[in-house]
Amino acid sequence: MTRLIAGLGAAAAFSAALSAQGLEGRIGTKAEGRIGVSFAGRPDVCGNGVSYLRVGTGGFGNGETMVMSSGDGTGQCEVGPIRVLLTRADGQTVGVRVGAGAPRWPAGTADLGLVSGPEAARYFLAQAVKLDGRLGREMLLPAVLADSADIWRGLLDLARNRTLSRGLRESAAGWIGRELAAADPAAQRTMTGELTRLAQDVDEPSAVRTRAVNALGQGDGNGTAALVGLADSPDPSVSRSALSTLGRLSDPRARETLRRAAKNTTLAEPARSEAIRALGGRDATGSDYAVLREIWASQTGAESRGNLLEALGEAGGAENMRWLLGVARDGSVAGQDRARAVRAVARAGASTSELIKLYDEGQDRAVKESLLETLFRIGDRASIDKLITVAQTETDAAVRRSVVTRLARTGDPRAKQVLKQVIEQ
């Protein structure tokens, strides 16, 4: 009995010693195999074991874990503890998988049970620094998912630490955007200021600076003012990234900045083309489309012109369609741009009869080929009829040969008959 009591006392003392070691000490005692760690997750996180994970309304990738957006309907998504499965070999962590929900560890997993969210976050942030590289980046996900964990300062330290790999610093800067949206006003001001300084630092790698810019756009409007300032950055990569990020915001300040940049003929072509693309994006208004039509004549860059035509084609509507048809008919416009206008007007909803009329007005080869490609894609009876007529009567041998070749693949009986006639000629 004395020995039993002594043994139990020793076991209790060993358990207490492990607890005192903290999470790092407990994990470090296992040199080989799997270790399972669970902790409370943030309210907007759910999952199904380590099969997939859902975070708010946005998806975040993490190694082998499938991380979905909340719109995904795959399987059941449980709100429960975050579950991290670590793989150890030769006394080192060599793998990490992250999930959420009821614990279903693989056989042989050493389950450490439930630990506090803040303790888990501190451990995984420390491991990110220690491991760096791919595994270090993957350690950031469980840290940012931990409930009641104040980790933005740790993420900022990682993002600013030039001794770490560029990839880890980029990831840390990106995750700060999630923290920015949920922080108190004082913390938001600090994060916004630090991200802005990081974006403006020309001694930093471009990828780190642009990731800081993107993070500012995730803060539910808290970073908009900083983004407006960064849109005028002399650094093309920062300016372009800021304009792109502003394009995802519905804030009136963002829309006005994009309009101003799109009209600015002194702006570098990469930034201006991005402003045009962003201005004509998801939150564009009728006034935004009017600006795009207005500035067409001042565009000298191929990318800017292409983005403008694509934006109006995607938007559709009678006014945009009429304008695009006008560009396609304008003989003073380069053939390549007129061909782009054809593709855009087709996307905007131009009818087969309108496209055929445009073809019959007489066009150069690039516009003809674009029109014919569009008719093939529409593929209704009127389109095929016109394509057959072109195969029979087109005087441009290269265009005619292209149409005949593509008609041969349609399987249409009428196409087969005309092909027979062409061969017999």
Side-chain angles (χ1 to χ4, degrees):
M1 178 64 71
T2 302
R3 290 180 180 175
L4 176 59
I5 292 173
L8 291 173
F14 180 68
S15 177
L18 284 180
S19 180
Q21 284 180 307
L23 194 54
E24 184 170 10
R26 296 171 68 190
I27 292 172
T29 62
K30 189 172 179 64
E32 304 284 339
R34 295 189 179 98
I35 299 176
V37 181
S38 304
F39 50 92
R42 294 187 177 186
D44 63 345
V45 180
C46 64
N48 183 0
V50 289
S51 303
Y52 70 90
L53 185 69
R54 234 153 61 189
V55 183
T57 57
F60 302 95
N62 183 60
E64 296 180 32
T65 303
M66 293 175 61
V67 187
M68 309 295 188
S69 73
S70 62
D72 180 80
T74 306
Q76 181 180 359
C77 197
E78 301 178 40
V79 176
I82 304 301
R83 302 173 56 250
V84 182
L85 182 65
L86 301 172
T87 302
R88 302 273 292 175
D90 297 326
Q92 302 290 325
T93 298
V94 296
V96 55
R97 296 187 67 188
V98 185
R104 290 178 290 274
W105 302 119
T109 299
D111 187 356
L112 299 188
L114 198 65
V115 303
S116 78
E119 180 185 11
R122 286 192 298 271
Y123 170 76
F124 289 113
L125 281 178
Q127 289 299 297
V129 176
K130 180 179 179 180
L131 297 170
D132 208 344
R134 176 189 60 80
L135 201 54
R137 295 193 298 273
E138 292 180 7
M139 289 290 182
L140 293 180
L141 179 60
V144 300
L145 299 183
D147 191 33
S148 304
D150 187 8
I151 65 167
W152 63 268
R153 291 180 182 83
L155 291 171
L156 273 174
D157 287 343
L158 292 179
R160 294 178 299 202
N161 189 341
R162 294 182 181 179
T163 67
L164 299 175
S165 68
R166 185 171 60 251
L168 178 58
R169 297 179 64 206
E170 289 174 41
S171 295
W175 280 117
I176 296 171
R178 178 170 159 79
E179 302 301 305
L180 180 60
D184 61 66
Q188 287 173 348
R189 286 192 294 273
T190 301
M191 279 185 264
T192 299
E194 291 299 325
L195 287 169
T196 302
R197 277 188 282 276
L198 194 61
Q200 292 173 329
D201 190 341
V202 295
D203 291 327
E204 292 289 1
S206 176
V208 173
R209 282 180 278 141
T210 55
R211 189 63 67 91
V213 173
N214 292 336
L216 286 165
Q218 298 175 37
D220 287 347
N222 295 298
T224 303
L227 288 168
V228 169
L230 291 170
D232 292 327
S233 171
D235 183 328
S237 63
V238 171
S239 176
R240 187 167 189 168
S241 183
L243 291 165
S244 176
T245 304
L246 286 168
R248 297 193 290 272
L249 306 178
S250 56
D251 190 308
R253 293 172 295 175
R255 307 310 302 175
E256 181 54 38
T257 301
L258 292 173
R259 293 186 194 108
R260 187 174 66 251
K263 293 177 180 179
N264 185 357
T265 56
T266 66
L267 197 63
E269 167 66 7
R272 194 177 190 200
S273 67
E274 186 58 44
I276 288 170
R277 187 199 63 77
L279 183 62
R282 183 185 61 191
D283 294 316
T285 66
S287 297
D288 294 330
Y289 297 132
V291 168
L292 293 179
R293 296 192 298 269
E294 172 193 328
I295 66 174
W296 166 252
S298 67
Q299 301 311 301
T300 57
E303 186 177 4
S304 290
R305 293 196 303 272
N307 284 352
L308 191 153
L309 294 170
E310 287 174 15
L312 294 176
E314 182 66 29
E319 192 167 6
N320 287 331
M321 193 160 61
R322 281 194 299 272
W323 185 87
L324 288 167
L325 282 168
V327 173
R329 288 189 167 100
D330 189 347
S332 67
V333 174
Q336 183 182 17
D337 289 329
R338 294 173 67 203
R340 284 176 171 175
V342 167
R343 292 190 289 271
V345 79
R347 189 168 184 82
S351 67
T352 301
S353 61
E354 288 173 311
L355 296 170
I356 291 173
K357 180 181 178 183
L358 186 60
Y359 188 95
D360 290 342
E361 290 171 0
Q363 308 295 344
D364 60 26
R365 179 179 293 175
V367 179
K368 281 183 177 179
E369 288 179 343
S370 184
L371 281 163
L372 294 171
E373 178 185 345
T374 301
L375 291 173
F376 270 112
R377 191 163 54 248
I378 294 172
D380 59 8
R381 184 177 183 86
S383 295
I384 299 300
D385 285 345
K386 179 59 181 177
L387 292 166
I388 288 172
T389 300
V390 171
Q392 292 171 324
T393 62
E394 175 60 55
T395 57
D396 187 320
V399 172
R400 188 181 185 200
R401 185 164 52 249
S402 174
V403 173
V404 169
T405 300
R406 294 188 66 171
L407 277 173
R409 304 190 194 116
T410 65
D412 188 290
R414 294 168 299 154
K416 290 181 179 179
Q417 182 61 35
V418 77
L419 291 172
K420 181 180 178 182
Q421 294 172 0
V422 169
I423 292 171
E424 288 175 350
Q425 291 173 1

